[in-house]
């Protein structure tokens, strides 16, 4: 995994940074992904198939990444990539909720290590038409191929989305995408009360690690300057499309 990834994994197991201010209510009927204690909105991955060119020039198949980035999300990404028999399908990110940012960077490193492209959009599965969330989830959860189409994401591409997207070899965002950077908050899965002094120290340390990550991915670290300001002021910043290329968040502006 390398020294940085191992260090991030140790930090991310218990103490981690999460997105602040963009939590989005989801259907309470969506089942949990894992076992007891697994959050209902944890990110799942499945293969989608659309019309020729649905996910770019000559691209009709993609991996949909859908849900909140949780402590074990990277394991599910590795699992679905391993099942593709060498096919490098692009990953289409649709994230929401209070995501684990350490794991989001792990997703990005996995994508870059596998030579995978990435974008952000909503995957609309044809077989889900007329079905409730529980039935639709049951279709998606196994990860097998489903006929689908892409549309601009229902949720903004938040900080977790941005960090995962950064790992794509080629990165794009379709017209209509909203990129909204919030701040970050320290969480401890076992002990929610973290002292203010430790919170500040950890925030600085995580910020250093995320800047290393963005530089490794070829992204301008000005993104983290914006996030740091938002953490202090409890505000959000919408990043206009004109800034995507300047900050090297994308390598092309559209699918």
């Amino acid at each position: 995994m390398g020294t940085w990834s191992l260090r991030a994994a140790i930090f991310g197991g218990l103490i981690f940074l999460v997105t602040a201010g963009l939590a989005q209510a989801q259907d309470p009927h969506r089942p949990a992904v894992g076992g007891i204690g697994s959050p209902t909105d944890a990110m799942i991955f499945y293969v989608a198939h659309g019309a020729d060119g649905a996910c770019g020039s000559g691209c009709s198949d993609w991996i949909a990444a859908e849900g909140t980035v949780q402590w074990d999300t990277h394991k599910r990404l590795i699992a679905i990539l391993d099942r593709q028999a060498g096919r490098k399908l692009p990953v289409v990110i649709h994230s929401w909720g209070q995501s684990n940012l350490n794991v989001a960077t792990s997703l990005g490193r996995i994508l870059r290590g596998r030579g995978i492209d990435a974008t952000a959009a909503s995957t609309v599965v044809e077989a889900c038409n007329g079905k409730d969330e529980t039935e639709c989830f049951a279709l998606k959860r196994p990860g097998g191929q489903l006929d689908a189409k892409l549309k601009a994401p229902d949720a903004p591409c938040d900080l977790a989305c941005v960090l995962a997207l950064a790992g794509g070899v080629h990165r794009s965002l379709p017209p209509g995408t909203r990129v909204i950077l919030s701040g970050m908050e320290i969480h401890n899965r076992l002990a929610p009360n973290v002292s203010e002094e430790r919170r500040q120290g950890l925030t600085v340390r995580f910020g250093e690690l995320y800047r290393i990550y963005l530089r490794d991915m070829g992204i301008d670290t000005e993104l983290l300057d914006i996030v740091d300001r938002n953490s202090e002021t409890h505000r959000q910043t919408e990043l206009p499309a004109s800034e995507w290329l300047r900050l090297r968040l994308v390598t092309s502006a559209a699918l």
Side-chain angles (χ1 to χ4, degrees), residues 1 4-19 69-74 98-110 159-160 163-164 184-189 202-203 205-207 209-210 213:
M1 291 176 64
W4 188 96
S5 297
L6 179 60
R7 184 164 57 237
I10 293 171
F11 275 127
L14 297 177
I15 298 176
F16 52 92
L17 277 168
V18 298
T19 48
V69 178
Q70 299 290 349
W71 65 274
D72 61 347
T73 298
H74 61 291
Q98 199 173 56
S99 289
N100 185 317
L101 300 180
N102 300 5
V103 178
T105 61
S106 295
L107 299 182
R109 287 196 178 275
I110 292 166
L159 182 55
L163 291 174
M184 303 181 290
E185 296 176 349
I186 291 287
H187 275 224
N188 185 328
R189 288 200 293 123
L202 287 169
T203 300
R205 182 57 179 149
F206 279 126
L209 293 176
Y210 293 163
Y213 167 75

Side-chain angles (χ1 to χ4, degrees), residues 119-189:
T119 187
S122 295
T123 297
V124 181
V125 174
E126 292 182 9
C128 287
N129 290 337
K131 292 182 172 59
D132 62 25
E133 181 64 23
T134 299
E135 295 173 304
C136 184
F137 181 85
L139 292 172
K140 297 173 180 178
R141 182 66 183 92
Q145 182 170 294
L146 297 168
D147 290 337
K149 61 182 179 181
L150 290 173
K151 69 172 186 176
D154 298 327
C157 184
D158 60 7
L159 182 55
C161 167
V162 164
L163 291 174
L165 175 72
V169 175
H170 298 100
R171 304 177 297 277
S172 61
L173 290 170
T177 302
R178 298 183 67 201
V179 177
I180 298 183
L181 301 178
S182 62
M184 303 181 290
E185 296 176 349
I186 291 287
H187 275 224
N188 185 328
R189 288 200 293 123

Side-chain angles (χ1 to χ4, degrees), residues 20 37 39-40 48 60 62 66 77 116 122 124 142 160 168 175 205 207 230 245 251 253:
T40 57
S60 58
W62 65 95
E66 195 173 272
L77 175 59
I116 304 295
S122 295
V124 181
R205 182 57 179 149
N230 288 338
L245 280 171
T251 54

